[in-house]
Amino acid sequence: MAQAIQKHLNQALMRIPRRAESADRSTLAATYVAAGSFSAMINSADHQLLFGRRGTGKTHALLHLQELAEGTGDLAIHLDLRTIGSSGGLYASTALSPAQRGTQLLVDTLEAVHDRLFAVAVDGNFPNQDALVRGLDALVSAATEVEVVGETEQEQTFGGAVEREYSAELSVTHGGGARAGARRKASATASSRR
């Protein structure tokens, strides 16, 4: 009998998810344990920086905060930034400047936010769906607009070549004949680069 209980307990322990993002939301909400003033701190309107070792409950706390926000009627989005971009390819390419790689990563993050908000809009459970869709249109417009801020360089190069050639020929022969000829050649090239 003791072996059966131990086997059952071991199986139950093996089924516990090791990562918060792999557990269902209701289990996370039910198993969250408030530690002191931590819940109040992460629910504050001030900016927060949350860090810690793997497995210390950061994701669990943020998903709990999402549940609290949604419970009051707010819209909350949880993004796992490990799934945005890639460790290779475009983001690791040293051929591109850090500004270009960072800009692409920002665009990919905004796209993920848009996708989550669009899913909420399509789901139809959001009270002001029209305002959300208009906001999504504005987000797409702003995320795809390119604006150069700062100094720019401009180079103008002008080059040209003019070639002219004139020749005339007159010849008289002993037999009383004369011959005359004229030739003219002109060419011009120009280039401009800005």
Side-chain angles (χ1 to χ4, degrees):
M1 175 91 129
Q3 263 188 338
I5 293 174
Q6 184 177 5
K7 182 180 177 184
H8 181 67
L9 182 60
N10 283 340
Q11 288 175 350
L13 288 173
M14 299 273 291
R15 284 192 297 265
I16 295 174
R18 287 166 182 52
R19 307 279 304 156
E21 56 270 7
S22 61
D24 65 291
R25 300 282 295 279
S26 60
T27 302
L28 289 174
T31 59
Y32 182 77
V33 177
S37 61
F38 182 70
S39 288
M41 183 185 72
I42 64 169
N43 202 13
S44 133
D46 294 330
H47 294 285
Q48 302 290 327
L49 180 62
L50 184 61
F51 63 95
R53 291 186 323 225
R54 183 178 180 170
T56 56
K58 300 177 298 295
T59 302
H60 196 164
L62 291 173
L63 290 173
H64 172 70
L65 177 62
Q66 182 177 358
E67 287 288 325
L68 291 175
E70 289 173 351
T72 62
D74 289 335
L75 179 60
I77 296 175
H78 178 264
L79 290 178
D80 186 353
L81 293 181
R82 293 175 301 168
T83 63
I84 307 293
S86 66
S87 59
L90 174 70
Y91 306 108
S93 172
T94 55
L96 298 173
S97 71
Q100 288 174 308
R101 291 182 291 182
T103 300
Q104 187 58 52
L105 191 56
L106 176 61
V107 168
D108 290 348
T109 303
L110 290 174
E111 182 182 358
V113 169
H114 179 273
D115 290 347
R116 295 286 172 89
L117 289 172
F118 185 73
V120 170
V122 170
D123 189 25
N125 292 335
F126 194 71
N128 196 349
Q129 199 170 3
D130 292 336
L132 180 57
V133 171
R134 283 192 303 276
L136 285 172
D137 288 344
L139 175 63
V140 167
S141 177
T144 57
E145 184 178 306
V146 176
E147 182 179 339
V148 178
V149 178
E151 294 183 20
T152 60
E153 287 187 18
Q154 180 176 314
E155 178 183 325
Q156 289 184 337
T157 304
F158 295 101
V162 175
E163 180 182 324
R164 291 187 178 126
E165 180 181 315
Y166 299 99
S167 65
E169 181 182 328
L170 178 63
S171 64
V172 178
T173 61
H174 292 297
R179 199 167 116 188
R183 191 169 80 173
R184 177 180 179 232
K185 178 182 175 185
S187 67
T189 60
S191 66
S192 172
R193 188 174 132 210
R194 184 174 180 183

